[in-house]
């Protein structure tokens, strides 16, 4: 069977790229969580209908 083995450097580089992308997504999600927490803790303003 004559399958082509991927170059180790190619595999490592792809994993490093995926890791960087996941780190970015993680930071974005963390930022969203902080925003939601801040909104949840913020006092709710009364509207004219509530008064």
């Amino acid at each position: 069977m004559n399958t082509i083995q991927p170059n180790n450097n190619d595999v490592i580089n792809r994993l490093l790229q995926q890791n960087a992308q996941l780190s970015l997504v993680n930071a974005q999600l963390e930022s969203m969580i902080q925003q939601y927490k801040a909104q949840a803790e913020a006092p709710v303003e009364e509207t004219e209908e509530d008064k």
Side-chain angles (χ1 to χ4, degrees), residues 19-45:
N19 189 59
Q21 290 171 336
L22 289 173
S23 294
L24 179 61
V25 170
N26 194 52
Q28 291 170 330
L29 289 172
E30 195 63 42
S31 174
M32 290 171 65
I33 290 169
Q34 295 305 321
Q35 289 176 348
Y36 287 133
K37 282 183 178 177
Q39 287 177 1
E41 293 170 1
V44 177
E45 294 182 15

Side-chain angles (χ1 to χ4, degrees), residues 5-19:
Q5 293 295 324
N7 184 334
N8 279 346
N9 285 340
D10 291 342
V11 173
I12 291 170
N13 286 334
R14 191 162 65 245
L15 289 173
L16 287 171
Q17 186 177 18
Q18 287 178 342
N19 189 59

